[in-house]
């Protein structure tokens, strides 16, 4: 990847806040490059600094130190007017949608256009187009309080796209939505990225979201970037502890026997899981129990992970891991899972 | 006892009271509304923080608000005399009413605007809206129901202040109540004026609440 198609470049970004116990760095020397047209994810636990990072990209938060470049331009050098214009080329959506509650859906979408000086009838025309693109034309005259979460986020997306931005910043955009609605909104984002070529920055604490739509991901931990890379690579071979913690399923499954050995198998799209697991059980004539499975069928290939509990027999357990490796899967023992 | 003359006087009293209240409310909002907006905007977490200005404005408002209206009424006599050429009658009463109510209105406006979700303001900022546009296209429209309720409170408070001005012959129903009730022991006339005041307050309050509800799109 050359520097030519970098749309956002973050250099040595530090942001400190004055807290109750003195100065506190919400971002500590962060470096990132986001490429034109990609869907870039930032994942981390709550409080890691993700929102602060994304807010520094459009200067809702002014960096304490370091530089943010947008299309090669140092944003801190912008005049007020230039900054307002620049923000129009970066749409933003939020966890709580943040729609104008006293304005109709149509007027919400018109809002960024009217403040940009677009005349009313042009704005209304464009807003209607956008509403049909996100699939909620019929709600144009409704008010946000009459919408479901998924519909609200669609309005917010339409509104964020109104000024034809090059970048869409999404701060926990699906965190307030149920899984089915999340899927729909993520599919819409992916579609927008493909069709309009808009670069998307996705902030989330959920690995599923990253897996589902991101090309590359940065792992944020404790105000720093722990790891950056392609989603596939990080998911199959996380290098840092922070990454492992995020990838390993949080909800401890029921029914596992404490003390037994567990193994995490990663499916990265090269295989389907059933034949391999079934084959293994047949070969060893030993049952294994699946403690956790989070699998996804993406374009006919299996993606995701599974945690199985290995038989008590140490030798068999070792052989099983070996077997999985031979089948070309990433399998590693995880400790302390149950 | 309620001869046409007295009825006529009470009728005039009502009109004077309404006149003083209305004019004072409008003029007090002329000062109070921008002041309230300034308080919110220049606040530390506001869209255009200006610490010193915020402190100065806050202090002036608190000072004015801590003076009891009855005392303010007398304190501002020189200003009243200068502005209206007299210190009695409804026109003169408008001056202390405006001075007394503007800081109160500023606080009402401040609290209404602070109710607006920070996220909505942030969304507007992310769309490149300038502070001015955020004020009149986001904060005021979003706070509209609350601002209307606030204005109902302001109107009724100003009305009761205006009655207090009766003590210095400020005109209106309060004036009548004090002249007849206090000085001449005609409690029946005082009672009627009080009932009139109660009815006016009720009606204004109700109108405000209804208007706020009609305009509110949050269900
Ligand atoms: N305006 C602020 N003032 C003080 N501290 C803040 C401010 N914004 C964020 N922080 C702190 O910075 C840290 C990172 O916050 P945030 O970026 O919101 O994390 P995340 O989005 O990853 O949950 C948190 O500890 C938070 O309390
Ligand atoms: Mg956050």
């Amino acid at each position: 990847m050359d520097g030519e198609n970098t749309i956002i470049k973050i250099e040595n970004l530090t942001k400190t806040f004055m807290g109750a116990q003195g100065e506190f760095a919400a971002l500590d020397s962060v470096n990132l490059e986001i490429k034109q047209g990609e869907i870039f994810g930032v994942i981390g636990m709550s409080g890691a600094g993700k929102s602060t990072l994304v807010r520094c990209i459009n200067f809702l938060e002014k960096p304490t130190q370091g530089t943010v470049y947008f299309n090669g331009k140092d944003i801190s050098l912008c005049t007020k007017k230039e900054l307002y214009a620049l923000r129009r080329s970066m749409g933003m959506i939020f966890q709580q949608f943040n729609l104008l509650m006293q304005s109709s859906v149509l007027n919400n979408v018109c809002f960024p256009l009217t403040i940009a000086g677009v005349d009313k009838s042009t704005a209304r025309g464009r807003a209607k187009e956008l509403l049909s693109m996100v699939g909620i034309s019929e709600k144009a005259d409704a008010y946000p309080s009459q919408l479901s979460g998924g519909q609200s986020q669609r309005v917010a997306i339409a509104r964020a796209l109104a000024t034809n931005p090059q970048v869409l910043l999404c701060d926990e955009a699906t965190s307030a939505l149920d899984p089915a609605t999340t899927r729909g909104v993520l599919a819409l984002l992916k579609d927008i990225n493909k069709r309009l070529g808009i670069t998307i920055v996705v902030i989330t604490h959920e690995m599923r979201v990253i897996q589902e739509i991101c090309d590359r991901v940065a792992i944020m931990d404790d105000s720093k970037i722990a790891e950056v890379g392609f989603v596939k690579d990080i998911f199959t071979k996380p290098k840092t502890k922070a990454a492992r913690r995020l990838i390993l399923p949080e909800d401890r499954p029921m029914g596992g026997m404490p003390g037994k050995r567990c193994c995490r198998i990663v499916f990265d799209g090269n295989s389907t899981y059933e034949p391999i697991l079934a084959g293994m059980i047949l070969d060893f004539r030993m049952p294994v129990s699946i403690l956790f499975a989070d699998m996804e069928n993406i374009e006919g290939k299996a993606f995701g992970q599974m945690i199985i509990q290995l038989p008590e027999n140490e030798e068999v357990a070792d052989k099983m891991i070996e077997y999985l490796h031979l089948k070309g899967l990433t399998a590693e023992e995880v400790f302390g899972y149950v | 006892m309620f001869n046409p003359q007295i009825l006529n006087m009470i009728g005039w009293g009502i009109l004077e009271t309404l006149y003083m209240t209305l004019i004072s409310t409008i003029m007090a909002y002329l000062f109070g509304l921008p002041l309230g907006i300034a308080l919110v905007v220049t606040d530390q977490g506001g869209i255009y923080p200006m610490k010193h200005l915020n402190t100065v404005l806050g202090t002036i408002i608190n000072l004015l608000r801590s003076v009891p209206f009855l005392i303010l009424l007398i304190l501002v006599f020189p200003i009243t005399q200068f502005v209206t050429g007299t210190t009695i009658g409804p026109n003169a009463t408008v001056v202390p009413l405006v001075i007394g109510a503007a800081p109160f209105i500023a606080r009402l406006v401040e609290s209404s605007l602070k109710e607006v979700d920070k996220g909505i303001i942030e969304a507007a900022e992310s769309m490149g809206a300038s502070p001015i546009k955020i004020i009149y296209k986001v904060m005021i429209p979003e706070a509209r129901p609350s601002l209307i309720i606030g204005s109902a409170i302001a109107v009724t408070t100003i009305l009761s202040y205006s009655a207090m001005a009766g003590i210095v012959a400020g005109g209106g129903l309060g004036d009548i109540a004090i002249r007849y009730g206090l000085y001449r022991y005609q409690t029946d006339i005082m009672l009627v004026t009080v009932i009139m005041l109660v009815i006016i307050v009720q009606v204004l309050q109700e109108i405000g609440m209804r208007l706020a509800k009609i305009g509110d799109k949050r269900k």
Side-chain angles (χ1 to χ4, degrees):
Chain A
M1 274 193 231
D2 52 292
E4 212 172 301
N5 57 358
T6 295
I7 187 159
I8 294 164
K9 187 174 177 195
I10 296 168
E11 244 177 34
N12 258 318
L13 183 65
T14 296
K15 174 76 193 180
T16 55
F17 290 112
M18 279 313 282
Q21 304 101 320
E23 221 167 62
F24 166 79
L27 293 175
D28 186 358
S29 314
V30 168
N31 286 288
L32 271 184
E33 265 185 50
I34 297 168
K35 307 287 172 192
Q36 173 100 54
E38 75 174 333
I39 304 187
F40 188 88
V42 177
I43 187 170
M45 304 276 187
S46 171
K50 308 180 296 291
S51 295
T52 308
L53 174 67
V54 77
R55 289 159 51 81
C56 279
I57 294 179
N58 60 3
F59 263 53
L60 284 180
E61 210 76 76
K62 233 177 140 178
T64 311
Q65 253 175 53
T67 319
V68 181
Y69 298 95
F70 178 59
N71 283 324
K73 186 173 183 190
D74 178 351
I75 299 178
S76 68
L77 300 178
C78 285
T79 62
K80 276 235 160 82
K81 271 228 167 89
E82 285 171 333
L83 181 62
Y84 297 150
L86 182 138
R87 282 180 181 160
R88 279 174 207 138
S89 44
M90 290 197 216
M92 189 170 187
I93 58 173
F94 308 82
Q95 178 170 3
Q96 297 306 331
F97 324 125
N98 294 344
L99 298 173
L100 298 162
M101 300 309 283
Q102 306 290 355
S103 297
S104 69
V105 163
L106 189 70
N107 284 337
N108 261 282
V109 183
C110 284
F111 179 79
L113 295 166
T114 34
I115 59 170
V118 175
D119 72 87
K120 208 168 174 179
S121 70
T122 315
R124 289 174 77 87
R126 169 111 181 99
K128 281 180 182 157
E129 258 172 51
L130 285 157
L131 285 176
S132 93
M133 189 187 79
V134 299
I136 39 168
S137 303
E138 75 282 1
K139 294 286 180 189
D141 297 322
Y143 284 85
S145 62
Q146 301 163 323
L147 303 180
S148 69
Q151 290 169 333
S152 298
Q153 198 57 291
R154 281 168 193 272
V155 176
I157 291 171
R159 183 174 72 170
L161 295 179
T163 48
N164 278 318
Q166 300 172 44
V167 178
L168 182 61
L169 306 171
C170 313
D171 190 357
E172 304 274 9
T174 56
S175 298
L177 307 176
D178 61 64
T181 316
T182 294
R183 218 163 257 266
V185 168
L186 291 179
L188 174 64
L189 290 176
K190 198 160 189 172
D191 184 54
I192 285 163
N193 166 261
K194 266 200 182 137
R195 275 203 295 165
L196 310 175
I198 294 176
T199 308
I200 301 184
V201 180
V202 175
I203 303 288
T204 184
H205 65 276
E206 294 172 307
M207 197 61 201
R208 293 188 69 88
V209 171
I210 300 287
Q211 266 175 275
E212 198 138 335
I213 61 167
C214 294
D215 302 312
R216 289 196 307 140
V217 63
I219 312 274
M220 269 210 94
D221 182 45
D222 197 17
S223 315
K224 295 184 190 69
I225 302 284
E227 205 172 333
V228 188
F230 287 99
V231 174
K232 206 181 106 179
D233 295 339
I234 289 198
F235 193 68
T236 49
K237 292 199 173 57
K239 290 195 203 81
T240 56
K241 211 172 159 194
R244 302 173 76 89
R245 205 170 53 208
L246 286 162
I247 290 165
L248 222 63
E250 268 174 59
D251 26 314
R252 300 282 156 107
M254 304 301 283
M257 300 282 280
K260 282 198 185 178
R261 296 167 66 187
C262 298
C263 171
R264 169 172 172 263
I265 311 169
V266 177
F267 297 85
D268 57 8
N270 294 322
S271 56
T272 49
Y273 61 94
E274 284 181 53
I276 289 174
L277 222 53
M280 185 173 82
I281 291 166
L282 283 176
D283 281 7
F284 285 88
R285 300 183 182 281
M286 281 270 202
V288 296
S289 40
I290 297 175
L291 299 184
F292 175 90
D294 181 20
M295 304 292 299
E296 200 119 27
N297 187 337
I298 302 172
E299 287 149 15
K301 291 170 188 162
F303 282 94
Q305 58 178 331
M306 182 184 288
I307 290 178
I308 59 170
Q309 193 162 52
L310 301 166
E312 254 177 287
N313 186 321
E314 296 279 326
E315 217 173 299
V316 176
D318 287 339
K319 284 206 169 131
M320 278 186 168
I321 295 179
E322 213 172 290
Y323 178 95
L324 292 166
H325 283 155
L326 280 174
K327 294 286 176 189
L329 291 171
T330 306
E332 50 171 11
E333 228 174 305
V334 285
F335 299 98
Y337 183 66
V338 222
Chain B
M1 178 191 47
F2 283 110
N3 55 42
Q5 213 182 337
I6 289 186
L7 286 179
N8 191 28
M9 179 185 70
I10 291 176
W12 268 110
I14 292 174
L15 286 180
E16 276 182 1
T17 291
L18 288 176
Y19 164 82
M20 282 189 285
T21 305
L22 200 72
I23 298 289
S24 305
T25 305
I26 292 170
M27 289 184 54
Y29 261 92
L30 241 41
F31 295 100
L33 186 65
L35 215 52
I37 292 170
L39 280 176
V40 177
V41 169
T42 61
D43 185 47
Q44 208 167 12
I47 54 173
Y48 204 96
M50 291 169 81
K51 203 175 165 211
H52 298 295
L53 180 62
N54 192 268
T55 313
V56 170
L57 290 179
T59 310
I60 293 174
I61 287 168
N62 287 346
L63 277 176
L64 281 172
R65 288 207 56 203
S66 56
V67 183
F69 182 67
L70 213 54
I71 295 171
L72 187 81
L73 203 60
I74 297 157
L75 267 180
V76 300
F77 266 174
I79 303 176
T80 309
Q81 179 74 41
F82 177 78
V83 174
T84 61
T86 173
T87 60
I88 57 166
N91 278 327
T93 306
V94 167
V95 176
L97 279 179
V98 171
I99 297 173
F104 171 64
I105 287 171
R107 288 295 184 204
L108 280 175
V109 168
E110 179 191 24
S111 92
S112 292
L113 295 183
K114 280 206 165 149
E115 281 168 29
V116 176
D117 190 338
K118 279 249 157 58
I120 296 178
I121 292 169
E122 184 170 294
E125 285 182 306
S126 81
M127 291 174 232
S130 62
I132 297 284
K133 280 181 179 159
I134 291 176
I135 291 167
Y136 77 90
K137 289 214 179 247
V138 180
M139 286 170 40
I140 292 177
E142 284 294 299
R144 188 180 54 210
S146 173
L147 286 169
I148 292 172
I149 292 173
S151 71
I153 296 172
V155 144
T156 50
T157 306
I158 289 172
L159 187 102
S160 68
Y161 280 3
S162 83
M164 262 190 249
I167 208 101
V168 292
L173 288 173
D175 204 342
I176 297 170
I178 285 167
R179 263 189 287 142
Y180 286 82
L182 194 64
Y183 300 149
R184 296 189 204 168
Y185 303 106
Q186 281 183 281
T187 27
D188 47 356
I189 293 182
M190 184 177 76
L191 208 64
V192 170
T193 59
V194 169
I195 290 170
M196 285 299 144
L197 283 170
V198 169
I199 291 173
I200 296 172
V201 166
Q202 287 295 329
V203 169
L204 291 176
Q205 189 70 36
E206 191 59 28
I207 291 173
M209 290 302 170
R210 294 243 171 118
L211 282 178
K213 213 172 252 171
I214 289 170
D216 196 351
K217 304 298 183 187
R218 296 166 299 182
K219 266 170 227 165

